Amino acid sequence: LDHGQSYWLDNLTRGMIDSGALEQRVRQEGLRGVTSNPSIFQKAITGGTEYDEQIVELMDRRLPVNRIYERLVVDDIRDACDVLRPVYDESGGTDGFVSLEVSPYLAHDTEGSVEEALRLYEAVDRPNVFIKIPGTDAGVPAIEELLYRGVNVNITLLFSIDAYEAVARAYLRAMERRREEGKSLEDVASVASFFLSRIDVLVDNVLGHRIQSGAAGDEVSRLMGRAGIANAKLAYRRFQELFSGDRWETLEDAGAHVQRMLWASTSTKDPLYSDIRYVEPLIGPHTVNTLPERTIRAFDDHGTVATTVEEGMDEARRVMERLSEVGIDFEHVTEQLLHEGVRKFIDPYDSLMATLAERYERHAGWPSAGHAAVLGDGEGDVEESLDSLERRQFARRLDEPDPALWSDDPEVRKAISNRLGWLELPDSFADRLDEIHAFADDVRPPEFEDVLLLGMGGSCQAARVLEGVFGADGGRPGLTVLDDTSPEAVRETERRLDLESTLVIVASKSGATVETRALYRHFRSRIGELVDASDAGDRFVAITDPGTPLAREAEERGFRALFENPEDVGGRYSALSFFGLVPAALLGIDVEALLRRAGDLRRWHDGSVPSGANPAVRLGATLGALAGDGRDKVTVVASDELEPFPLWLEQLLAESTGKEGRGLVPVVGEELEGPEAYGDDRVFVRLHTRESQDLDAARRLENLQKAGHPVLEIQLRERADLGAEFLRWEIAVATAGRILGVNPFDEPDVRSSKEATADLLEHLADEGQLPGEKPVARGEQLELYADREAAWFGSVSGGGPDRILGAILESVEAGDYLSLLSFFRPTSERRAALQTLRSRLRDRLGVATSLSHGPGYLHSTGQLHKGGPNRGVFLMLTADPGEPLDVPGEPYGFGDLRAAQALGDERALRERGRRVLRLHLGSDVEAGLRELYERLVPEGEETARAAGTPVSSSA
């Protein structure tokens, strides 16, 4: 201290504070300050148990991971400041400081640095705290602004003299601004931390290459180990120039403290150098040396104290000149060191966030936060994808959220920014629970025995899942979801429900969905026949976006309730909004628990947690990377209690990723078989609760895993974890979309079927019938329709049903998928027949299969069918509409609408060059299905299967 230098400790742990060791060093060893950084805290927090009790307490308060970290370090910094407060007071505010660093991710963010520094400064609430800001280009204006506002700043990661000068001038400007406004200068302090040993490590490495390549060995070797100290001495000379003269004297007279130079990175990295190499030559006025423990012990043992920093200035200049002469680009050296310095703080910060997130899961006993994965050969690709996401700060930017993650096009970004509101639903709808509960409590038996939900796709899928998983609580109405426009389905629903005691929810994001509108008009008409006109509106509820035609209808017709959903939430991402929560509340489901579990996932794995430790991001990266390796068939296996969930997931995966010739192909409801049944295009996902005892599925998946197939396992503690599962998969799909290079928030190819349907309905209105087409072949019950110009059909023109069916199946190749698309009422018997046919075709062809029912799939997998990879082969099944049923206010009936949708989708698939064959089953659907089965599954093949004989996978 007599020579003008203070010694600070480059270390801080809670143990040294609580034990009194820090206070002892202050009193007995002359310690004048302490610095910290994420690396120091990472070692302290993960290296022992002293933080465990507080971590548990903060976890119980459900704080996000990054806020837990902040509370831990803020408490340590505050306590250390109290220990060093006597030094601060005795020195008149020039010593006795403890440093706390802003997030290393803010190194290139001016506004973010200012915001976080102010928050941390206020949280510590001690005058002797330094907030550390790196001396980057973005850091300089932040430093000036913070100093101007009275925040003490320790500028870190300074390697070049130019960078040092920039931050010194920022300090001078801040003091001048305060002086001009009459603010105190005495209360503000700053140090500029100039790094030493890291410079020699990098420069010595380059010099070593020069020697190896034959450069003048003696001259080059004499320069080794000299750059760091030479650079520091010249920086000190610049410090003397800046803090002298009229400009500085004016500020000094007003009470300003000198911005001292702090020597950092003073531990010797090269064992051939003196262990006090960066201490002895740099002692002098207005300096600080921040020392690690080992260097302190070494200097105490054999160090010499003398004023040395101004010695050897001429030699320092010569060293820097000679380094330039031998090819050392010092500007490049310092730029690289700055980049590496930021990285050296980011890595331990990430490690700590990952550790805290893992502890959070264990403490909560919450296995749904993570998933187990056995990836086989795909593990390397997954890790590479995660590394790529981390370089792009994906998890952090998703948390903001940043639409630039998915597109460089300004217009596309603008559209995406209006589809990211789902990320905030767990918090925003927690504030609307009173509204939802009040409504649900008013809808009870006997006034309302049933709730009928009319919707399509994302407007009804979450409600269907929640009803299927939870059912209705006692004393609550039952829920029926109708997304089928067949006359039989509408009539059957009407027969089953007592419409006089039924509440009808009309759910449509756009408020103009043609199927939902038709169903609403029908039930509006029927209920209007049963109750007084003045009471009819009170039996309807609308869930839609603000300002839609449905919203206007609800207001004009006096609906019982109108729930206007956030506009920035897409249909398939709306599970945790009014679309899912209102039906759930009516069933008596604990919607608060659903949102709380989703909020936990969001908080415990927010943007501060690196991508590899974020279970939702990791899941998406896994699916995206495996798809890039050819495993794009996501085969979902759910335990009985979660059986409805994959239907929601099917739409999310298919509609979000199936575009631009890419996509994840969901395989839902396919029977699980042995390894021989599958090609190398599969990834398997098992979903189950902790209580699930599906040992057969577990055994089969274990065999698949042993055979080299990737298997992911997700276990829920209990059904309420579905709230987190909705959000986890939404994040995962957004992540997979980034890896696949598609926009996961649009559905560009859905429109084609809608437009084709509209054209056909217009033709119906003009001509009185839908346009006809001659079948390419007829069977006993079947009529076959195909594009005669299609490549697969070219060689069978004029052939019979068997030949045509054989031709389309022969077009199936490894990596394709076969999809059955039905457009008739899917009774349980018909579903069973289609499932059996599906299984036989999978075994025969050796490819993934799917079964979808129209028109619902047009709002779901239809996007994948037309916009995804051209690997789908489609067998579309239609039937006569049966007894007509008019759509009120329209020139067509429900049967006409359904037929037009089937024909419209067929037309759209053909236009996209997809392999599609429409099979019309006539008026007897069961007879048509039997004939189709007999033609597609030869009798010998069925017999062989029954006997356990392997079936050929050839067509």
Side-chain angles (χ1 to χ4, degrees):
L1 193 62
D2 293 339
H3 297 268
Q5 183 171 92
S6 299
Y7 115 76
W8 290 6
L9 177 64
D10 190 22
N11 187 28
L12 180 64
T13 67
R14 181 163 294 183
M16 70 171 61
I17 299 171
D18 293 344
S19 68
L22 181 64
E23 183 177 8
Q24 180 180 356
R25 298 180 82 154
V26 170
R27 291 186 175 185
Q28 298 180 11
E29 300 176 17
L31 181 66
R32 308 287 288 178
V34 177
T35 60
S36 69
N37 58 50
S39 180
I40 290 171
F41 277 117
Q42 190 267 342
K43 293 175 183 176
I45 293 173
T46 62
T49 60
E50 56 196 6
Y51 293 88
D52 288 358
E53 184 177 346
Q54 188 180 7
I55 289 174
V56 169
E57 184 263 326
L58 294 172
M59 287 177 177
D60 287 338
R61 291 170 54 187
R62 313 185 91 83
L63 290 184
V65 168
N66 64 329
R67 290 292 182 260
I68 290 177
Y69 164 74
E70 281 189 9
R71 286 297 304 272
L72 297 177
V73 301
V74 163
D75 285 357
D76 280 4
I77 296 295
R78 184 187 297 121
D79 291 344
C81 284
D82 290 343
V83 172
L84 283 153
R85 181 61 183 267
V87 177
Y88 174 81
D89 293 337
E90 170 267 323
S91 67
T94 60
D95 249 328
F97 287 95
V98 183
S99 297
L100 171 61
E101 188 149 6
V102 298
S103 166
Y105 282 103
L106 297 174
H108 305 291
D109 182 349
T110 301
E111 293 181 5
S113 294
V114 171
E115 180 181 348
E116 181 161 312
L118 289 170
R119 181 167 53 77
L120 292 175
Y121 195 71
E122 182 178 353
V124 176
D125 192 27
R126 297 294 187 272
N128 56 323
V129 64
F130 266 136
I131 303 299
K132 294 176 77 172
I133 305 289
T136 59
D137 289 344
V140 172
I143 291 162
E144 179 179 342
E145 181 63 21
L146 289 167
L147 289 166
Y148 163 71
R149 295 198 193 187
V151 175
N152 304 319
V153 180
N154 176 348
I155 300 103
T156 186
L157 292 179
L158 296 174
F159 297 95
S160 76
I161 296 173
D162 288 344
Y164 162 69
E165 182 170 346
V167 301
R169 292 190 181 280
Y171 174 77
L172 295 172
R173 288 193 300 271
M175 294 302 100
E176 287 169 342
R177 290 169 61 190
R178 290 183 66 84
R179 177 178 174 275
E180 290 169 2
E181 296 180 16
K183 297 179 178 179
S184 170
L185 278 62
E186 296 179 0
D187 301 330
V188 185
S190 177
V191 293
S193 299
F194 208 77
F195 281 57
L196 304 174
S197 63
R198 294 186 194 178
I199 292 176
D200 281 337
V201 170
L202 181 54
V203 171
D204 284 3
N205 188 47
V206 178
L207 290 173
H209 286 296
R210 295 282 189 276
I211 296 172
Q212 187 178 17
S213 63
D218 290 343
E219 181 180 354
V220 172
S221 63
R222 282 196 297 270
L223 293 172
M224 296 185 76
R226 304 185 67 185
I229 294 173
N231 192 46
K233 286 181 176 290
L234 295 178
Y236 184 80
R237 176 54 53 87
R238 193 73 191 101
F239 153 78
Q240 291 177 313
E241 294 168 354
L242 289 165
F243 288 89
S244 62
D246 294 343
R247 182 184 186 185
W248 168 244
E249 290 173 2
T250 299
L251 293 173
E252 189 175 34
D253 290 343
H257 299 290
V258 171
Q259 183 193 53
R260 292 186 295 172
M261 295 205 72
L262 183 150
W263 309 126
S265 183
T266 57
S267 62
T268 304
K269 307 296 192 294
D270 190 326
L272 298 183
Y273 296 152
S274 166
D275 52 6
I276 53 175
R277 183 180 189 84
Y278 302 102
V279 183
E280 286 185 322
L282 296 172
I283 300 172
H286 303 301
T287 62
V288 175
N289 201 317
T290 177
L291 304 171
E293 299 281 4
R294 186 175 64 177
T295 307
I296 292 172
R297 291 194 298 270
F299 191 81
D300 183 58
D301 180 67
H302 51 269
T304 300
V305 178
T307 302
T308 55
V309 68
E310 296 184 69
E311 296 176 355
M313 284 291 179
D314 291 339
E315 178 60 20
R317 290 191 188 90
R318 284 193 293 272
V319 167
M320 300 307 289
E321 290 169 359
R322 289 201 294 271
L323 286 170
S324 178
E325 290 168 0
V326 300
I328 301 297
D329 184 342
F330 209 73
E331 182 178 355
H332 176 75
V333 166
T334 56
E335 285 179 0
Q336 180 175 335
L337 287 169
L338 177 59
H339 172 75
E340 291 177 354
V342 173
R343 186 78 252 170
K344 285 178 184 292
F345 288 155
I346 284 177
D347 289 343
Y349 180 85
D350 283 350
S351 176
L352 180 56
M353 293 300 105
T355 299
L356 288 174
E358 182 182 349
R359 284 195 187 184
Y360 227 144
E361 296 170 24
R362 290 203 309 268
H363 170 64
W366 200 57
S368 75
H371 68 263
V374 178
L375 305 178
D377 294 341
E379 187 166 357
D381 293 333
V382 171
E383 292 304 322
E384 287 181 6
S385 293
L386 286 166
D387 288 344
S388 179
L389 291 174
E390 192 60 27
R391 285 193 297 273
R392 289 162 175 78
Q393 296 301 300
F394 180 86
R396 187 171 298 276
R397 292 166 66 191
L398 176 66
D399 208 41
E400 292 175 358
D402 181 2
L405 284 170
W406 296 278
S407 179
D408 295 327
D409 186 301
E411 289 302 315
V412 176
R413 289 184 185 180
K414 183 178 179 180
I416 291 174
S417 67
N418 196 39
R419 298 293 290 271
L420 295 173
W422 53 274
L423 285 160
E424 301 304 323
L425 293 178
D427 291 330
S428 63
F429 269 81
D431 296 333
R432 310 195 73 165
L433 286 176
D434 289 345
E435 174 187 358
I436 294 172
H437 285 312
F439 167 76
D441 289 342
D442 195 41
V443 179
R444 289 177 178 269
E447 182 181 6
F448 293 109
E449 297 287 348
D450 292 285
V451 174
L452 174 61
L453 173 59
L454 310 177
M456 304 297 294
S459 297
C460 68
Q461 285 288 24
R464 175 179 276 123
V465 169
L466 293 167
E467 191 280 331
V469 172
F470 290 91
D473 191 15
R476 297 282 186 167
L479 175 67
T480 296
V481 177
L482 181 59
D483 61 349
D484 190 336
T485 55
S486 66
E488 300 94 328
V490 177
R491 286 195 176 97
E492 192 276 332
T493 301
E494 188 177 337
R495 283 194 299 268
R496 190 167 55 81
L497 300 177
D498 178 2
L499 294 184
E500 289 189 80
S501 61
T502 297
L503 180 73
V504 180
I505 299 177
V506 189
S508 170
K509 175 178 172 61
S510 69
T513 308
V514 62
E515 302 95 332
T516 306
R517 187 176 65 223
L519 292 168
Y520 160 66
R521 288 180 176 177
H522 172 82
F523 286 98
R524 174 80 194 195
S525 175
R526 290 292 186 265
I527 290 176
E529 296 170 359
L530 298 172
V531 301
D532 293 338
S534 59
D535 295 333
D538 198 46
R539 296 171 181 272
F540 288 85
V541 174
I543 305 176
T544 187
D545 281 6
T548 67
L550 177 57
R552 293 193 294 271
E553 174 84 0
E555 291 171 344
E556 293 168 3
R557 294 274 193 157
F559 278 22
R560 187 181 193 90
L562 167 61
F563 293 99
E564 292 185 312
N565 220 52
E567 291 181 280
D568 58 355
V569 177
R572 59 187 177 275
Y573 290 86
S574 63
L576 297 173
S577 72
F578 284 132
F579 284 104
L581 298 180
V582 169
L586 290 170
L587 288 167
I589 297 171
D590 187 348
V591 293
E592 183 178 1
L594 292 174
L595 288 174
R596 185 171 63 251
R597 299 294 169 81
D600 287 344
L601 179 77
R602 183 98 164 93
R603 281 185 290 274
W604 299 354
H605 301 91
D606 61 9
S608 64
V609 177
S611 296
N614 184 312
V617 173
R618 175 173 278 276
L619 174 60
T622 299
L623 296 176
L626 292 175
D629 199 33
R631 292 188 178 272
D632 60 349
K633 312 304 187 301
V634 183
T635 307
V636 185
V637 182
S639 56
D640 290 343
E641 64 271 35
L642 299 178
E643 185 178 3
F645 182 79
L647 293 175
W648 172 84
L649 184 55
E650 181 180 50
Q651 176 180 357
L652 182 71
L653 288 167
E655 196 170 24
S656 299
T657 68
K659 54 202 73 171
E660 299 183 33
R662 284 158 278 179
L664 301 172
V665 180
V667 182
V668 171
E670 195 180 62
E671 293 180 6
L672 198 59
E673 296 291 347
E676 69 280 353
Y678 305 108
D680 58 2
D681 59 345
R682 299 274 193 150
V683 54
F684 295 87
V685 179
R686 183 189 180 204
L687 291 161
H688 64 100
T689 60
R690 192 158 47 189
E691 290 75 22
S692 174
Q693 299 296 318
D694 191 351
L695 300 180
D696 182 63
R699 177 180 56 80
R700 290 176 183 269
L701 286 167
E702 184 179 359
N703 290 335
L704 291 169
Q705 171 189 315
K706 290 178 180 177
H709 292 288
V711 176
L712 314 181
E713 182 178 3
I714 297 174
Q715 176 180 292
L716 283 66
R717 285 181 313 174
E718 55 190 6
R719 293 176 298 172
D721 282 346
L722 273 179
E725 215 54 42
F726 283 131
L727 184 61
R728 180 224 293 271
W729 280 96
E730 288 166 350
I731 294 173
V733 168
T735 305
R738 176 65 184 88
I739 292 174
L740 293 170
V742 299
N743 174 5
F745 308 111
D746 67 355
E747 45 285 328
D749 298 289
V750 169
R751 190 180 307 110
S752 60
S753 287
K754 293 181 179 179
E755 292 173 348
T757 298
D759 290 344
L760 290 166
L761 290 174
E762 186 177 344
H763 185 279
L764 173 66
D766 293 339
E767 304 296 331
Q769 62 182 7
L770 292 170
E773 180 183 7
K774 291 184 178 181
V776 296
R778 284 190 172 91
E780 296 176 11
Q781 180 77 19
L782 297 176
E783 292 179 346
L784 284 69
Y785 295 85
D787 180 2
R788 298 174 187 270
E789 304 300 321
W792 71 267
F793 186 80
S795 62
V796 294
S797 180
D802 291 339
R803 189 174 177 187
I804 292 172
L805 286 167
I808 197 165
L809 295 186
E810 285 170 5
S811 76
V812 176
E813 300 176 347
D816 286 347
Y817 66 97
L818 180 72
S819 186
L820 299 176
L821 309 174
S822 73
F823 275 88
F824 45 77
R825 174 65 169 159
T827 63
S828 58
E829 293 80 6
R830 293 170 180 177
R831 285 180 184 273
L834 289 170
Q835 277 291 94
T836 301
L837 177 60
R838 173 188 184 184
S839 295
R840 302 301 181 265
L841 290 173
R842 180 201 58 189
D843 295 339
R844 177 179 179 181
L845 302 173
V847 298
T849 63
S850 66
L851 172 60
S852 302
H853 301 285
Y857 82 80
L858 300 177
H859 302 263
S860 173
T861 55
Q863 168 62 44
L864 171 76
H865 296 165
K866 292 177 280 291
N870 192 0
R871 305 306 300 267
V873 177
F874 304 97
L875 300 182
M876 181 177 288
L877 311 178
T878 58
D880 293 343
E883 184 180 350
L885 181 63
D886 291 339
V887 176
E890 298 291 356
Y892 53 79
F894 280 100
D896 298 320
L897 173 59
R898 192 180 187 94
Q901 289 178 307
L903 296 177
D905 194 47
E906 180 189 16
R907 178 186 295 180
L909 288 168
R910 289 182 182 182
E911 290 174 350
R912 293 294 196 283
R914 275 25 182 179
R915 290 162 286 175
V916 55
L917 174 64
R918 181 164 64 88
L919 300 147
H920 190 70
L921 308 183
S923 59
D924 189 342
V925 174
E926 284 70 22
L929 287 174
R930 283 195 298 274
E931 179 183 349
L932 179 61
Y933 184 88
E934 290 167 0
R935 291 184 183 278
L936 289 175
V937 184
E939 183 177 351
E941 184 175 300
E942 177 65 22
T943 302
R945 179 180 177 83
T949 306
V951 178
S952 170
S953 62
S954 67

